[in-house]
Amino acid sequence: MIQWTSLIATCTKLHQKLSYRMTMGDEVEDMFVLLNEVKRQIPSVTAVCSGAIASDYQRLRVESVCSRLGLVSLAYLWKQDQSLLLQEMITNGIVAITVKVAAMGLDPRKHLGKDIGFLKSYLHRLKELYGINVCGEGGEYETLTLDCPLFLKARIVLDEFDVIMESSEAIAPVGILHPLAFHLENKEESNSISGIDKTSEICPENVGFVYEVQGDFLQSSEATCQSAAEVTKLDAVAEHRLRISRTKSYSTFSICCWLQDSCHTSAGLQEDLEVVLKKIELELVGCGFNWENVLYVHLYIADMNKFTIANETYVRYITQEKCPFGVPSRSTIELPLLQVGLGSANIEVLVANDQSKRVLHVQSISCWAPSCIGPYSQATWHKEILHMAGQLGLDPPTMTLSNGGPSAELEQALENSEAVAKCFSCSISTSAILFVVYCSAYVPSPERYKIQDKLETFLKQMRLFESERENISKALDPIFLYLLVPDLPKRALVELKPVLYAPEEMDMAIGTMQDLSSVRMPSYWGFQHADWHDSCFQKCVVHGKICAVILCFTSELVEKICFDSLGGGKDNGNYPLSVQGRQMESVLRFCIYLLDKLYMQTNFSWEDTKNLRFYFPTSIGLPVEVLSLMLNNAFNELAEMDQRVIIGEEPIFNLVPVLGAGSSATSMDNILTCELFASKS
């Protein structure tokens, strides 16, 4: 407990926007000065605990100050049920009286100076009538604590006070209690005011110490504020090593950058990451954008042991100062990049051409969901699509991984995802379009089946609960992709990345195949429609809005594709093809053929593509430049055969090496896997 002596707070509320930015003279700077002095006089202080329950305005200001001072924000009341919380406070002997009321149904003359225990029933009645917050989180009332279990020796007794009316409006008058006289009452000589004496349950040695921090001045917060990290200037990197891909949609598109260097040794994670981040930054500027336009970042690194280095490099480019509308969400995965001739870092960003995104960035540690202390957000909403950050199985209040293996981690990650989804008035059980599940190579093969079983069971039970509780009749049928990767942050066994459809008003219309009986479907490269084609893909379509597709090609399907292909076995003079190479060329062509057919059937086009990823296992033994050339050639051939398809100078796809991939956690042995996401927005 800290007591501040002789601080004269002179600041007022100047910066009134939701997200706070340092503003000299604002009342938040008083808190900065206080906590900065606390850190100076008591260096052991590393965290700040606040009572924010539902107010983003309050939480963001505390988090801003903590971030500037290198302190951890603790908000263990965040998102808790206010009715239960009010009862818990009363039960635990907290005696708090109202010192300000400003809500419909609260009369200063009747309700000022009243204990919250006395007002509890009336507050719940007002909640039913007018929807007030029973804990006063919406400013309905303010309180003064006269007694609580932490007050070991005495309680405060208010002897005399005045009621000062700030507003006498008939609907919601505003009044303030002004104390005139009070005294301390020894707890050993009388009973608790509320009739509940909890002091015997508190041991003095567990309470800690009371510190008195003294100071008679208000120092400038500007002098002690951490300065923004300067961007490291790099020597020019040869253009033949840098590779860029970009989807062609104007409104929302992906940019991917990597270092293709099969002939040289990687310079190391920090330098490689700086190169690709700088290149993407230049690409954004060239489009008239900057980092504040980025919705999501996929950070792929070659060695998770160097995660700290990766994060320190990342924060020199993507900061809250550069992203006033909110930092993008992020997932971080270790991939076998070096094994396929790539550098130590690969970055993919999703970019929007407007500032209509909404970001959820809670940096405080709480019981709600894992905090995002760094410059990345739990979720980013943009044009009805909720892009959620990669979720680990972290226990929110302790920020440690759940015990019990991969299925326990996945269950916790699902609960965390649901907590985030509820902030956007949706649920992962009814609004999910796509689940990408990253499985660490540390998960034993026999344990992998539990991951899929846990995911399916959890979603089924949650959907049943949601339908019974809110009578939900409409729900999306999500698609699933399981990826086997070398490692994950914190040595987690599972990481979950959900994408949700979250419109302002739920008017969900599940997509169906268009009736194309009168339309002649194309037969590129000699491929003809066959019933077995349906076994290659999963799709989730929101009619006229979203088209998400997962294509999975097992060794059995590859045999069928190569048998049906008429032109897939021809050598291309640009690169020598082994039998395996010719098979892959046929599979890539068939993949593009199938995507094009699905686009036609769902009334989408290649220009609607937001991201297109091809996951390939390192075991296929083909260099990434060969696969890239194969795909480029296939898209160019498609454009020559069909004028609907326009191909630019840059590829529209991202090649992602993995240890394995599949639509099932038990059989991540695809020869090739494709993930496509398209939207009309």
Side-chain angles (χ1 to χ4, degrees):
M1 185 180 297
I2 295 171
Q3 177 180 330
W4 177 262
T5 303
S6 300
L7 170 67
I8 302 175
T10 59
C11 297
T12 57
K13 187 185 298 184
L14 298 179
H15 192 288
Q16 299 185 11
K17 293 183 179 179
L18 180 60
S19 295
Y20 180 76
R21 301 185 72 176
M22 189 180 75
T23 304
M24 297 306 299
D26 190 273
E27 61 184 2
V28 175
E29 301 310 312
D30 283 337
M31 179 168 59
F32 179 93
V33 171
L34 165 61
L35 293 177
N36 186 60
E37 187 65 17
V38 168
K39 279 194 65 177
R40 188 183 70 81
Q41 296 190 32
I42 316 172
S44 59
V45 171
T46 59
V48 173
C49 188
S50 65
I53 303 172
S55 171
D56 285 302
Y57 186 92
Q58 178 191 102
R59 174 184 60 79
L60 288 169
R61 277 150 176 75
V62 175
E63 290 177 351
S64 172
V65 171
C66 288
S67 177
R68 289 157 59 189
L69 290 171
L71 296 168
V72 176
S73 173
L74 305 176
Y76 287 111
L77 303 185
W78 182 249
K79 292 296 182 182
Q80 290 197 25
D81 183 279
Q82 293 191 39
S83 296
L84 297 178
L85 187 58
L86 179 63
Q87 182 57 51
E88 185 178 358
M89 288 188 287
I90 296 169
T91 301
N92 282 276
I94 294 179
V95 179
I97 62 169
T98 53
V99 292
K100 179 179 179 179
V101 294
M104 187 179 297
L106 289 176
D107 188 335
R109 299 173 184 82
K110 295 180 180 179
H111 301 121
L112 277 176
K114 296 296 189 294
D115 174 33
I116 56 172
F118 175 81
L119 292 174
K120 185 189 75 169
S121 298
Y122 187 65
L123 291 172
H124 279 96
R125 182 183 173 191
L126 294 182
K127 177 186 175 184
E128 295 176 359
L129 291 173
Y130 310 121
I132 75 161
N133 296 278
V134 294
C135 285
E137 188 71 357
E140 292 89 346
Y141 65 89
E142 305 289 345
T143 59
L144 170 67
T145 300
L146 300 180
D147 192 15
C148 71
L150 290 176
F151 294 1
L152 297 180
K153 296 183 178 180
R155 63 181 62 86
I156 302 170
V157 178
L158 193 60
D159 298 315
E160 188 179 352
F161 62 85
D162 279 341
V163 172
I164 300 174
M165 297 298 296
E166 284 195 347
S167 169
S168 299
E169 294 181 4
I171 297 178
V174 178
I176 297 176
L177 182 148
H178 180 62
L180 298 176
F182 66 92
H183 71 276
L184 296 180
E185 187 175 80
N186 195 312
K187 285 190 173 184
E188 296 177 354
E189 297 177 356
S190 64
N191 295 323
S192 173
I193 294 176
S194 64
I196 304 174
D197 192 351
K198 294 279 184 178
T199 57
S200 60
E201 300 177 11
I202 305 294
C203 297
E205 60 267 26
N206 295 330
V207 175
F209 300 96
V210 176
Y211 293 93
E212 184 173 0
V213 178
Q214 297 183 349
D216 293 316
F217 59 92
L218 281 175
Q219 65 186 51
S220 171
S221 61
E222 186 175 16
T224 55
C225 180
Q226 295 177 351
S227 61
E230 296 183 359
V231 177
T232 303
K233 294 183 179 179
L234 301 173
D235 295 333
V237 177
E239 284 299 318
H240 70 272
R241 292 182 59 205
L242 273 170
R243 294 290 185 270
I244 284 284
S245 69
R246 176 181 167 178
T247 54
K248 305 308 175 187
S249 173
Y250 172 73
S251 61
T252 311
F253 56 90
S254 294
I255 301 177
C256 182
C257 182
W258 67 97
L259 282 165
Q260 188 167 296
D261 196 353
S262 59
C263 301
H264 302 84
T265 303
S266 169
L269 176 60
Q270 181 175 348
E271 183 171 329
D272 285 358
L273 184 54
E274 285 182 335
V275 168
V276 294
L277 283 167
K278 187 62 178 178
K279 181 63 175 178
I280 287 183
E281 189 172 69
L282 292 174
E283 290 289 317
L284 290 170
V285 172
C287 299
F289 303 137
N290 50 49
W291 289 111
E292 69 180 354
N293 293 91
V294 175
L295 306 175
Y296 202 96
V297 178
H298 285 87
L299 174 59
Y300 302 128
I301 58 178
D303 187 357
M304 195 57 71
N305 290 319
K306 298 179 180 178
F307 175 80
T308 301
I309 296 174
N311 220 32
E312 290 173 352
T313 306
Y314 182 91
V315 301
R316 289 206 293 270
Y317 287 82
I318 305 175
T319 64
Q320 295 183 35
E321 289 73 24
K322 292 182 180 180
C323 305
F325 298 99
V327 287
S329 300
R330 189 183 85 179
S331 64
T332 305
I333 309 294
E334 179 181 321
L335 294 179
L337 299 173
L338 298 175
Q339 291 91 313
V340 296
L342 297 175
S344 297
N346 184 323
I347 293 283
E348 180 182 325
V349 297
L350 183 65
V351 186
N353 70 347
D354 60 25
Q355 301 294 346
S356 62
K357 69 178 182 181
R358 294 208 317 262
V359 164
L360 178 65
H361 185 202
V362 179
Q363 300 180 71
S364 301
I365 295 177
S366 68
C367 297
W368 162 72
S371 65
C372 287
I373 297 175
Y376 47 91
S377 301
Q378 280 91 351
T380 301
W381 181 92
H382 181 255
K383 293 187 175 179
E384 301 187 323
I385 300 172
L386 185 62
H387 306 274
M388 203 174 294
Q391 290 289 334
L392 303 179
L394 293 171
D395 176 50
T398 63
M399 292 296 288
T400 58
L401 288 168
S402 297
N403 296 322
S407 60
E409 285 189 24
L410 179 62
E411 182 174 15
Q412 184 65 61
L414 286 163
E415 291 176 357
N416 296 339
S417 300
E418 180 66 6
V420 173
K422 285 183 177 179
C423 294
F424 294 87
S425 303
C426 59
S427 169
I428 61 172
S429 65
T430 56
S431 301
I433 301 166
L434 165 69
F435 288 100
V436 178
V437 184
Y438 298 99
C439 302
S440 168
Y442 292 103
V443 179
S445 297
E447 290 289 313
R448 293 175 190 166
Y449 81 93
K450 296 181 181 179
I451 295 175
Q452 184 172 345
D453 181 64
K454 175 61 67 176
L455 178 57
E456 293 174 353
T457 302
F458 187 95
L459 293 176
K460 182 179 179 180
Q461 292 176 345
M462 182 175 287
R463 182 175 293 188
L464 181 62
F465 173 76
E466 289 290 329
S467 63
E468 292 177 349
R469 185 170 64 91
E470 299 185 11
N471 193 28
I472 296 175
S473 58
K474 295 181 179 180
L476 289 172
D477 189 13
I479 57 180
F480 303 88
L481 174 61
Y482 295 86
L483 298 173
L484 186 64
V485 297
D487 203 0
L488 295 168
K490 295 182 178 290
R491 288 290 186 270
L493 300 176
V494 181
E495 181 171 333
L496 183 69
K497 189 186 70 174
V499 180
L500 280 64
Y501 173 57
E504 298 286 359
E505 295 182 3
M506 187 61 70
D507 56 348
M508 195 178 300
I510 308 301
T512 57
M513 292 294 190
Q514 182 185 5
D515 182 9
L516 298 174
S517 57
S518 60
V519 180
R520 182 180 178 184
M521 295 300 296
S523 57
Y524 307 131
W525 299 291
F527 295 118
Q528 300 290 339
H529 173 75
D531 291 339
W532 62 267
H533 289 183
D534 292 345
S535 64
C536 298
F537 65 84
Q538 309 170 63
K539 68 178 179 67
C540 181
V541 179
V542 179
H543 184 66
K545 294 184 177 182
I546 298 169
C547 177
V549 180
I550 299 293
L551 297 179
C552 295
F553 300 102
T554 62
S555 55
E556 293 79 10
L557 288 173
V558 169
E559 291 181 7
K560 290 184 179 182
I561 293 168
C562 294
F563 179 80
D564 288 356
S565 174
L566 299 178
K570 296 180 181 179
D571 284 343
N572 187 310
N574 292 320
Y575 47 82
L577 285 181
S578 62
V579 173
Q580 189 178 27
R582 286 194 292 269
Q583 288 178 332
M584 181 58 71
E585 186 177 50
S586 294
V587 172
L588 291 171
R589 285 173 168 172
F590 179 74
C591 182
I592 294 173
Y593 156 77
L594 207 56
L595 290 176
D596 190 65
K597 184 170 74 170
L598 287 168
Y599 265 159
M600 290 189 66
Q601 292 175 330
T602 54
N603 281 325
F604 282 82
S605 69
W606 288 100
E607 285 71 32
D608 297 320
T609 304
K610 306 309 181 194
N611 55 61
L612 176 60
R613 303 185 188 98
F614 290 89
Y615 300 96
F616 65 97
T618 54
S619 59
I620 66 171
L622 289 173
V624 70
E625 59 263 33
V626 171
L627 291 172
S628 182
L629 187 54
M630 286 180 180
L631 275 169
N632 276 323
N633 289 339
F635 274 110
N636 287 329
E637 291 168 6
L638 177 66
E640 292 175 0
M641 292 183 288
D642 193 332
Q643 295 183 353
R644 292 182 303 109
V645 183
I646 301 175
I647 302 297
E649 295 181 1
E650 298 165 339
I652 65 171
F653 55 84
N654 184 14
L655 282 165
V656 184
V658 292
L659 300 180
S663 57
S664 167
T666 56
S667 57
M668 293 181 282
D669 54 2
N670 289 351
I671 303 299
L672 182 75
T673 307
C674 176
E675 176 193 351
L676 176 142
F677 192 92
S679 70
K680 291 290 187 180
S681 59

